Amino acid sequence: MGMFSTREPRKFRRVNIYTSERKDKLDKLVKEELRREGKLPQEEPGKESYKGRFSGFTPRASGRSSRLTAPIAILIVVVLLLLWRYLLMGRF
């Protein structure tokens, strides 16, 4: 039912067109050397470690929609139409 749901916007995804392979190799070598010496600080957890944690604790944030929304919306429209007809004509 596209009428009662909204589309989710596309996620931003950055794609680097211009990269320096030499710089990447140098950074990798420096990290390996720091890791061997024990000077490399603890890495902070990335996005992957937090994925799904918040929605697990809050059921409303899980993104699941209720299946009763469409029938309830139709029922409300029918009731409003009957009420409008009663107000105009004085009878059902």
Side-chain angles (χ1 to χ4, degrees):
M1 270 208 105
M3 188 169 164
F4 296 108
S5 63
T6 57
R7 285 184 57 200
E8 187 174 328
R10 284 184 279 169
K11 305 276 190 238
F12 177 75
R13 194 182 70 176
R14 184 182 186 119
V15 177
N16 291 333
I17 298 173
Y18 305 107
T19 60
S20 172
E21 292 177 13
R22 183 174 173 256
K23 183 180 176 186
D24 292 340
K25 287 180 184 180
L26 182 62
D27 288 341
K28 187 177 178 182
L29 288 174
V30 168
K31 282 185 181 181
E32 285 179 17
E33 185 177 334
L34 286 175
R35 190 176 299 124
R36 274 187 256 134
E37 293 176 3
K39 295 181 181 178
L40 192 65
Q42 289 279 345
E43 293 184 12
E44 294 185 20
K47 277 186 180 181
E48 294 79 24
S49 65
Y50 295 115
K51 194 170 191 169
R53 296 268 179 133
F54 180 73
S55 61
F57 292 111
T58 54
R60 289 188 179 179
S62 64
R64 287 180 267 144
S65 63
S66 174
R67 293 183 182 189
L68 294 176
T69 37
I72 290 174
I74 293 170
L75 181 67
I76 290 172
V77 169
V78 169
V79 168
L80 288 175
L81 286 173
L82 288 173
L83 180 66
W84 185 39
R85 180 179 168 152
Y86 175 73
L87 290 175
L88 288 178
M89 298 187 158
R91 62 188 155 123
F92 287 106

